[in-house]
Amino acid sequence: MSLLPVAAAAIAGAIIGSFIATLCVSWSRGEQASAGRSRCDSCNRELSVVELIPIISWLYVRGRCRTCGAPIPGLHLSIEITAAVLAAIAIALQPNTSGTALGLFWLLLLAPAVLDARHHWLPDPLTLVLALAGLLVGGIATGAPLVDRLIGGAAGFLSLWVIALVYRRLRGREGLGAGDPKFLGAIGLWTGWFALPAILLIAALAGLGVAVAQGRSRLDRMPFGTLLAGAAVVWTA
């Protein structure tokens, strides 16, 4: 297989990852992602073209603004690299339109996963975009028929919504975030209903592993949306 499509996918993924990183940082501050030229968060200097190149720019300035020396969050670099790797793997697995659609699925999971991991927040607009894209191209990415994906959307939402309702009635407190059922429903619109049990199992086992490794108690909040996103990537890889 030629490495050119994989390299092109990695470059495209890094560019998309740069926008995702900006979105995550801006939204976490209650700001809108800027539509104009990017600027330093500290001194407000407009960034040069070299400083806007994904991954390379962060390494070029050594993670600091060239004017004021303020540190540039490593989150930018991490998301750009992750997006590049995900896009490259998708095309390496399926060097065709299916791989492109699969890469889109994975990249659409990235922003919600980051925001949930950092802020326990799954924004509805991101979930809606994920759901709509699943309706349009989910079958190309996963091969799941439309009927199975429609059932997956309903089953994904209802399964976690019922679990959250029962937990709240029995324990008198929230056990799942309000965004988790909607997020799993959006994933189901990509994968179909048959993949959901495996995705839930992988996410649950991953969460258990993280809890044990970090010594968390059963009352500690866990970013289940992040775990679902990771499980969806693993299942569809």
Side-chain angles (χ1 to χ4, degrees):
M1 182 188 68
S2 172
L3 293 179
L4 184 59
V6 177
I11 293 172
I15 294 172
I16 296 172
S18 180
F19 173 76
I20 293 173
T22 300
L23 180 73
C24 290
V25 172
S26 299
W27 280 20
S28 65
R29 296 172 178 169
E31 304 168 354
Q32 295 295 322
S34 174
R37 287 289 297 273
S38 297
R39 297 177 179 273
C40 172
D41 293 332
S42 298
C43 66
N44 204 38
R45 176 181 62 84
E46 188 175 282
L47 302 182
S48 66
V49 174
V50 174
E51 293 172 293
L52 295 175
I53 302 174
I55 301 175
I56 295 175
S57 63
W58 196 95
L59 299 175
Y60 173 72
V61 299
R62 299 181 181 180
R64 290 187 176 275
C65 173
R66 291 191 298 164
T67 301
C68 66
I72 301 172
L75 179 66
H76 284 273
L77 180 63
S78 300
I79 292 178
E80 289 170 1
I81 292 176
T82 300
V85 170
L86 289 174
I89 291 175
I91 292 299
L93 291 173
Q94 303 182 57
N96 48 36
T97 55
S98 295
T100 302
L102 182 62
L104 175 63
F105 176 39
W106 291 354
L107 292 178
L108 288 175
L109 291 170
L110 186 52
V114 170
L115 289 171
D116 196 40
R118 292 171 62 86
H119 307 289
H120 296 284
W121 180 37
L122 290 169
D124 285 343
L126 296 181
T127 300
L128 178 60
V129 170
L130 179 66
L132 292 176
L135 282 173
L136 292 174
V137 300
I140 300 174
T142 64
L146 178 60
V147 172
D148 288 350
R149 290 186 288 115
L150 290 174
I151 295 173
F157 173 79
L158 289 174
S159 60
L160 289 190
W161 184 82
V162 169
I163 290 174
L165 177 63
V166 171
Y167 187 94
R168 185 167 59 249
R169 292 287 178 83
L170 293 178
R171 306 300 294 271
R173 56 185 175 85
E174 298 294 337
L176 285 172
D180 292 325
K182 290 178 281 189
F183 191 57
L184 183 59
I187 290 174
L189 290 172
W190 283 84
T191 64
W193 63 268
F194 54 85
L196 295 182
I199 290 173
L200 282 170
L201 178 61
I202 294 171
L205 291 176
L208 180 60
V210 170
V212 172
Q214 297 181 350
R216 297 191 179 203
S217 75
R218 60 187 179 84
L219 297 179
D220 290 336
R221 296 184 66 183
M222 183 72 70
F224 196 54
T226 303
L227 298 172
L228 289 173
V233 171
V234 170
W235 179 254
T236 53

